[in-house]
Amino acid sequence: MIDWLRSLGRDGIAVFEKIGRGNLFLLRTLAGLPEVLGRPRLLLAQLYSVGVLSLLIILVSGLFVGMVLGLQGYNTLVQFKAEESLGVVVSLSLVRELGPVVTALLFAGRAGSALTAEIGLMKATEQLSGMEMMAVDPIHRVVAPRFLAGVLSMPLLAAIFSAVGVYGGWFVGVGLLGVDDGAYWSQMQAKVDLYDDIWNGVIKSMVFGLVVTWIAVFEGYDAVPTSEGVGRATTRTVVHGALAVLGLDFILTALMFGD
Amino acid sequence: MQRTPIREPGTTDMDAAQPNTETGDDILVRIRDMHFSRGERRIFDGVDLDIRRGKVTAIMGPSGTGKTTLLRLIGGQLAPDRGSVRVDGLEVPRLGRAELYRLRRRMGMLFQSGALLTDLNVFDNVAFPLREHTDLPEAMIRDLVLIKLQAVGLRGARDLSPAELSGGMARRVAMARAIALDPMMIMYDEPFTGQDPISMGALVTLIRRLNDALGLTSIIVSHDVQETASISDHVYVISEGRVVAGGTPDEIERSDSAWVQQFMRGLPDGPVPFHYPAPDYRQDLLDGAQEPRP
Ligand SMILES: Nc1ncnc2c1ncn2[C@@H]1O[C@H](COP(=O)(O)OP(=O)(O)OP(=O)(O)O)[C@@H](O)[C@H]1O
Ligand SMILES: [Mg+2]
């Protein structure tokens, strides 16, 4: 019993220590951002590997999610003779929820895990130590460009996801199920609000991008420097990243659309 | 990060070997009464040690005595619990981040693993410190990199990636990178382990040659006793958290200390235990027999 309490206490302290380290780490990363902006080539290379390489999975997933929305939305709406509103249903679901959330989940799995593994492996092979001994701060040189690339890529990827999804829904609804083409687009234009819907979705995707990238680079940097440690850190990135996204989504939705 | 132009090659190489006017002596690294532990385990227990400018100093000792830890303490990656670590007159543990980084630009370190950046090829690895710390035009960086690679005999390997190098080659590339900024001091962590006799011989002479040609101060951590002793001006043997012997290789060889004799001759057990500290062996085995099987 005492042992159990003791280990509970130890684990609790470890969790708070880690949160503290994570916050200090974020501050140091943010302090490195001006330097990154001065070296666009570092940033471009990371934008490529974090953003561009995630593009394919985002395009394909967006298309399928949009098609499913088109199908499900049509089946429900047609019962109320409201299938003209399919465009609104598809686009609102995507822009407000599925775009940011699903993109963030995919992003954690695709780019986040790669970031963690890469940084963790650099740590395990003493590359980060080596940089420190060469008087190069690895947080500025390695972490900050990756962090910024993740934060910039996420909203763009989410926007692309939603856009492709709208076309997926259009393909199923208009192309296969015979919803009126003009109604699909015009209802969408009339009902989707720039501020309430699109802007809030963009804010969500920015928050998710920041949190997922932060978790990914921190887990890599904080990994136990062995192959097992890096493996565990990669898993944690995906699990914690996904949980953080879903939890934050609830909070943000309550704040934005709650009234 | 602040960028300073590189020192002119040639003019500065010898400056590093000159005594620092501030401290007025020829001791570059001075460690006094240094204590360091990792968790419960005490690693250093009052170490006193001097590294002279312009010399090759060897630090030897059995595996796990803390040789790598000592280099990290000198480089400021770890801080001692007590005592002083001075490099070029600067108290390393008390330096702020910026000062520490300024000092590190003047020291090169070769990691046990080489620690080359795996996403860069050989050329870019050697160019890395130059690109990070100087604003030299690309043409000059190219020349400097080729000079350094030529010095370690790998000018022809510039386009290979670290994965395509053998262990010995990787270490020589790391050496070229460590001298890229013309440091005053270079620390080698186990430069010889896992080398065949030929590349071992090449590395041994290379370390000595670089030291003398560039006016460096070199610290070699190693347990390859003969090779290391053959190029060192001074040898320290550390064991159990203390310096157990120090002197020229000849003096060490003739030492009448049992510790030192055991180590230099490579006797498996003696005053320096082969075993990591552990409870009594017999008792340990008996304890296992009494515990229920998992
Ligand atoms: N990160 C660490 N955490 C905890 N203990 C460590 C860590 N690194 C090293 N140690 C301990 O510190 C002691 C000294 O390690 P160090 O790597 O300095 O030894 P070494 O003399 O370089 O050995 P070798 O010759 O095998 O490289 C070892 O006993 C090891 O158990
Ligand atoms: Mg070692």
Side-chain angles (χ1 to χ4, degrees):
Chain A
M1 182 65 192
I2 293 290
D3 272 354
W4 181 77
L5 276 179
R6 197 177 289 155
S7 78
L8 190 73
R10 198 174 324 117
D11 293 351
I13 290 173
V15 167
F16 283 108
E17 265 178 11
K18 182 156 184 177
I19 292 175
R21 279 203 306 278
N23 280 297
L24 289 177
F25 175 84
L26 181 62
L27 289 181
R28 283 180 62 193
T29 306
L30 294 177
L33 291 185
E35 200 185 315
V36 176
L37 293 176
R39 302 178 68 180
R41 270 217 249 150
L42 281 183
L43 180 61
L44 278 181
Q46 292 311 319
L47 279 173
Y48 178 77
S49 72
V50 170
V52 177
L53 293 184
S54 303
L55 201 54
L56 185 64
I57 185 177
I58 295 296
L59 287 174
V60 174
S61 312
L63 188 67
F64 280 124
V65 168
M67 284 163 68
V68 170
L69 278 177
L71 206 55
Q72 295 276 23
Y74 179 85
N75 285 341
T76 310
L77 290 173
V78 82
Q79 295 170 25
F80 307 101
K81 301 259 182 301
E83 64 270 23
E84 318 281 67
S85 308
L86 185 65
V88 183
V89 170
V90 169
S91 58
L92 280 188
S93 318
L94 282 168
V95 170
R96 283 179 164 201
E97 280 301 327
L98 293 171
V101 172
V102 177
T103 306
L105 295 178
L106 292 170
F107 186 75
R110 168 65 185 76
S113 59
L115 284 175
T116 306
E118 188 186 10
I119 296 176
L121 217 59
M122 289 181 85
K123 182 179 185 187
T125 52
E126 294 189 311
Q127 295 183 50
L128 299 185
S129 267
M131 272 189 200
E132 270 182 21
M133 281 307 297
M134 288 187 278
V136 175
D137 189 339
I139 293 194
H140 291 194
R141 178 63 171 68
V142 173
V143 173
R146 286 167 173 77
F147 177 78
L148 188 56
V151 171
L152 293 179
S153 302
M154 221 337 262
L156 293 175
L157 291 172
I160 292 170
F161 183 98
S162 297
V164 174
V166 166
Y167 277 102
W170 173 84
F171 173 72
V172 170
V174 178
L176 302 182
L177 300 172
V179 175
D180 183 61
D181 191 13
Y184 186 87
W185 295 112
S186 63
Q187 290 236 12
M188 191 187 301
Q189 263 181 5
K191 290 280 163 53
V192 177
D193 185 80
L194 176 66
Y195 176 78
D196 267 347
D197 301 315
I198 296 185
W199 183 236
N200 277 339
V202 171
I203 290 178
K204 270 188 182 179
S205 64
M206 291 199 286
V207 172
F208 295 162
L210 188 122
V211 170
V212 169
T213 319
W214 175 24
I215 291 177
V217 290
F218 176 63
E219 286 292 356
Y221 191 80
D222 203 50
V224 178
T226 59
S227 22
E228 194 202 2
V230 175
R232 280 167 187 260
T234 309
T235 310
R236 275 202 303 272
T237 291
V238 177
V239 174
H240 292 183
L243 290 179
V245 165
L246 296 173
L248 278 171
D249 184 43
F250 174 72
I251 294 174
L252 289 174
T253 307
L255 289 177
M256 289 168 173
F257 308 108
D259 42 26
Chain B
M1 185 168 298
Q2 181 191 352
R3 289 172 169 232
T4 49
I6 190 176
R7 298 174 296 164
E8 296 263 287
T11 53
T12 54
D13 289 351
M14 294 314 294
D15 291 352
Q18 301 302 311
N20 187 330
T21 44
E22 213 177 306
T23 51
D25 63 7
D26 66 343
I27 291 172
L28 182 59
V29 180
R30 182 191 294 270
I31 297 177
R32 285 293 175 270
D33 190 35
M34 191 265 289
H35 294 252
F36 180 79
S37 20
R38 275 204 134 119
E40 298 288 286
R41 187 163 152 69
R42 179 163 297 173
I43 298 188
F44 293 118
D45 195 10
V47 167
D48 295 315
L49 195 144
D50 289 330
I51 310 279
R52 292 183 179 277
R53 287 175 200 273
K55 305 284 187 207
V56 176
T57 305
I59 295 172
M60 304 203 226
S63 212
T65 37
K67 302 182 296 300
T68 302
T69 310
L70 183 66
L71 294 188
R72 288 189 189 272
L73 283 156
I74 295 174
Q77 288 194 316
L78 296 170
D81 302 333
R82 219 172 84 203
S84 134
V85 178
R86 279 179 168 270
V87 177
D88 202 24
L90 300 169
E91 183 68 36
V92 176
R94 291 223 209 93
L95 293 180
R97 202 179 182 74
E99 294 165 302
L100 184 61
Y101 273 27
R102 214 170 302 134
L103 176 64
R104 281 183 186 164
R105 272 185 228 178
R106 298 191 290 141
M107 40 200 204
M109 173 149 173
L110 216 76
F111 283 80
Q112 231 161 326
S113 59
L116 294 178
L117 302 171
T118 41
D119 56 341
L120 302 179
N121 67 14
V122 166
F123 182 94
D124 291 329
N125 259 288
V126 179
F128 181 83
L130 295 166
R131 290 191 175 133
E132 291 294 317
H133 292 310
T134 71
D135 282 323
L136 293 175
E138 199 51 32
M140 191 178 276
I141 288 190
R142 182 171 180 280
D143 288 349
L144 283 172
V145 170
L146 293 185
I147 292 170
K148 307 296 174 188
L149 281 174
Q150 175 75 10
V152 299
L154 289 176
R155 192 165 45 85
R158 73 187 94 157
D159 293 325
L160 299 183
S161 80
E164 296 170 305
L165 300 175
S166 75
M169 289 162 83
R171 235 163 279 180
R172 284 193 277 161
V173 174
M175 217 182 272
R177 186 177 68 175
I179 57 173
L181 285 174
D182 291 320
M184 60 176 178
M185 170 171 101
I186 180 162
M187 299 187 273
Y188 301 93
D189 193 354
E190 309 280 6
F192 310 126
T193 34
Q195 304 287 319
D196 67 72
I198 296 177
S199 52
M200 169 108 95
L203 278 175
V204 169
T205 44
L206 187 58
I207 290 177
R208 185 75 235 186
R209 246 187 34 228
L210 284 178
N211 189 74
D212 298 344
L214 303 180
L216 299 169
T217 301
S218 306
I219 307 178
I220 308 180
V221 154
S222 178
H223 29 222
D224 290 287
V225 175
Q226 296 313 324
E227 288 74 16
T228 314
S230 70
I231 51 161
S232 315
D233 301 304
H234 202 88
V235 176
Y236 287 103
V237 180
I238 55 175
S239 174
E240 305 241 293
R242 289 173 169 279
V243 175
V244 293
T248 63
D250 281 345
E251 285 166 7
I252 297 284
E253 201 86 53
R254 280 186 272 108
S255 158
D256 44 15
S257 148
W259 299 84
V260 180
Q261 284 305 326
Q262 182 204 345
F263 187 74
M264 301 301 281
R265 300 244 177 95
L267 307 177
D269 219 343
V272 182
F274 168 64
H275 294 285
Y276 191 90
D280 181 62
Y281 187 34
R282 258 173 66 90
Q283 193 56 46
D284 218 356
L285 292 176
L286 288 174
D287 285 351
Q290 279 154 16
E291 272 166 24
R293 283 176 184 280

